[in-house]
Amino acid sequence: MSASAGTGVFMLSLMSIPFCYLFNSLIYNNGAEAFFFAGFSAVLILTISVRFMLKKKAPVDRLFYVYAVFAFLSVVNLIIGLEQDNIIDGFVTFYLKEAEPHINTAHGHMISYWDGCVHYLMYLLMIAAITWGDSYRTIGLYWVGSFSMRTMVYILGNAVGKYGTQVTPLFILHILYISVSVWACFRIFSQPSTHDAQLTSIQEAQRRSLLHRPLDLLFIVYLIPALAFCVFRGLVVLDCSSKWCEDYVQQFEPYLKDPTAYPKVHMLVSMLYSGPYYIITLYGLLVPGCEWVPDLTLVHSGALAQAQFSHIGASLHTRTPFSYRVPADSQSVFLLVNVLYALVPHALCYHCCTQPAFFLNPKQEKKTQ
């Protein structure tokens, strides 16, 4: 398949920049010139997209068109984040004033940047893979984790936080976006796995004891305190009366008590989902033949990366009230712990995906050979 379809999506996503500016001007000025330019911009976008996408055979994979729309929306989210920081002006001013108040919180600010940068890159990579006929299951699973964590924390935080009663018609669009994304998640899971290894290497890897697998031993040692840290922060947001919990909130993470409820939902989701993940991953590192381990680490790495990026950024952001920000004398410890908590699972994921022999089933591998 020609790469022109992927190029067309990239150009389409960049056209969201003048699109936002012109429609923002249209709403504010309501003039004939703004309407003309907005209409011209819409026609130009359609022309360019049709020109590049249908120049040769159109992509068969329906996720291509889903990711094309999501890439367009990701650039819009980046514009929202830049305008919130006063780096640009006049692109989404009306939206920031009249839309849901959640987007103007520190958490909403950080997910705008995550969508506009990380998700945008993933959409382009998956579109390129579809265009070239390659598998995108690995990137897709990482996106599944990132999308799932973003959605659960954002939607539940909106519902139980201080803005829970302020629901706008845009909520319907969120539901539509989530529905399409969930369908895309199932499509990604249904794709065949790309993990393989020679039968001899599988048998050799599974014969070695844990002491002869030093990396696996190190990851097991990490998973135990990571589980404890995950449960501990869950207890903190549940108002545990322990002195350790009270001291931790006051000295290191007062943001956990922020009334927007995003950090509380984040910690509860982590305790209920990341906690069991650490336990079953311990099992997968000890018992050979657990083929689900590489895929599970991909999903969890994406979820943890999105959650920790939003949590760290919001804990330090100026939109968070000063009393809930990380104290200056504790920022180094806060950053060290939270960055390591996000990075080590990625090292585990890389290890499981690049050296999957221990996790593969030798019987199925023998059948394929």
Side-chain angles (χ1 to χ4, degrees):
M1 184 184 297
S2 173
S4 60
T7 306
V9 170
F10 176 68
M11 297 299 297
L12 176 66
S13 66
L14 294 182
M15 290 302 295
S16 62
I17 300 173
F19 210 65
C20 288
Y21 184 82
L22 293 173
F23 270 98
N24 188 71
S25 301
L26 171 64
I27 294 173
Y28 267 112
N29 300 327
N30 199 25
E33 296 84 4
F35 181 82
F36 171 79
F37 282 115
F40 177 79
S41 175
V43 173
L44 185 61
I45 288 175
L46 292 175
T47 303
I48 292 176
S49 60
V50 172
R51 172 73 176 87
F52 279 98
M53 290 184 183
L54 301 181
K55 184 177 180 181
K56 293 189 178 181
K57 185 180 178 181
V60 177
D61 194 337
R62 287 176 290 178
L63 287 182
F64 176 91
Y65 305 100
V66 173
Y67 293 143
V69 176
F70 285 1
F72 184 92
L73 297 177
S74 291
V75 178
V76 174
N77 283 325
L78 180 59
I79 293 171
I80 292 173
L82 292 173
E83 185 149 334
Q84 285 175 320
D85 273 340
N86 297 320
I87 298 175
I88 59 176
D89 187 40
F91 286 84
V92 287
T93 308
F94 179 81
Y95 175 76
L96 293 178
K97 288 183 178 180
E98 303 296 333
E100 296 176 334
H102 319 94
I103 198 66
N104 289 312
T105 62
H107 181 84
H109 192 89
M110 299 312 299
I111 63 173
S112 293
Y113 277 122
W114 183 264
D115 286 344
C117 297
V118 181
H119 278 177
Y120 181 57
L121 177 61
M122 285 191 276
Y123 294 142
L124 293 182
L125 290 174
M126 287 188 284
I127 287 169
I130 294 172
T131 302
W132 296 330
D134 297 333
S135 174
Y136 56 93
R137 190 174 189 269
T138 299
I139 303 174
L141 289 175
Y142 192 89
W143 171 79
V144 167
S146 177
F147 158 76
S148 300
M149 179 61 79
R150 173 200 181 280
T151 302
M152 284 191 291
V153 174
Y154 189 66
I155 296 298
L156 294 177
N158 292 349
V160 303
K162 67 177 183 179
Y163 300 115
T165 58
Q166 302 181 32
V167 180
T168 68
L170 287 175
F171 182 74
I172 300 176
L173 294 180
H174 282 301
I175 296 301
L176 177 61
Y177 165 77
I178 291 171
S179 301
V180 175
S181 299
V182 169
W183 170 78
C185 292
F186 281 106
R187 285 293 299 266
I188 291 171
F189 274 115
S190 65
Q191 295 179 2
S193 176
T194 57
H195 304 300
D196 58 0
Q198 295 293 328
L199 180 61
T200 54
S201 63
I202 295 175
Q203 294 173 341
E204 180 182 355
Q206 296 183 356
R207 277 197 300 264
R208 287 183 292 175
S209 66
L210 183 61
L211 295 177
H212 292 87
R213 293 183 284 121
L215 273 179
D216 290 352
L217 181 60
L218 286 175
F219 287 128
I220 288 174
V221 172
Y222 161 78
L223 288 173
I224 296 173
L227 172 62
F229 183 63
C230 172
V231 174
F232 174 73
R233 293 205 295 184
L235 294 176
V236 168
V237 299
L238 290 175
D239 297 325
C240 177
S241 59
S242 170
K243 190 175 185 303
W244 286 6
C245 295
E246 295 176 355
D247 291 343
Y248 181 79
V249 170
Q250 294 176 1
Q251 299 176 17
F252 298 102
E253 295 198 47
Y255 177 65
L256 295 179
K257 298 296 184 179
D258 188 88
T260 58
Y262 296 120
K264 184 173 184 177
V265 173
H266 168 206
M267 298 309 157
L268 291 177
V269 170
S270 295
M271 184 174 68
L272 295 175
Y273 292 95
S274 292
Y277 161 81
Y278 292 129
I279 296 174
I280 60 179
T281 304
L282 276 171
Y283 175 84
L285 290 172
L286 292 171
V287 179
C290 298
E291 296 182 325
W292 40 263
V293 170
D295 290 347
L296 189 62
T297 58
L298 275 169
V299 175
H300 182 260
S301 296
L304 203 60
Q306 194 283 327
Q308 286 299 103
F309 174 84
S310 300
H311 179 67
I312 293 172
S315 298
L316 303 171
H317 203 278
T318 55
R319 288 180 180 268
T320 298
F322 182 79
S323 58
Y324 295 113
R325 292 183 218 162
V326 180
D329 55 350
S330 304
Q331 287 184 5
S332 57
V333 177
F334 166 80
L335 289 172
L336 177 64
V337 172
N338 280 276
V339 169
L340 285 177
Y341 185 67
L343 290 181
V344 176
H346 285 76
L348 172 61
C349 176
Y350 179 80
H351 169 66
C352 294
C353 293
T354 56
Q355 301 178 27
F358 180 79
F359 309 105
L360 297 180
N361 191 333
K363 294 181 181 180
Q364 292 185 2
E365 191 68 21
K366 187 174 181 180
K367 289 180 181 179
T368 58
Q369 290 183 353

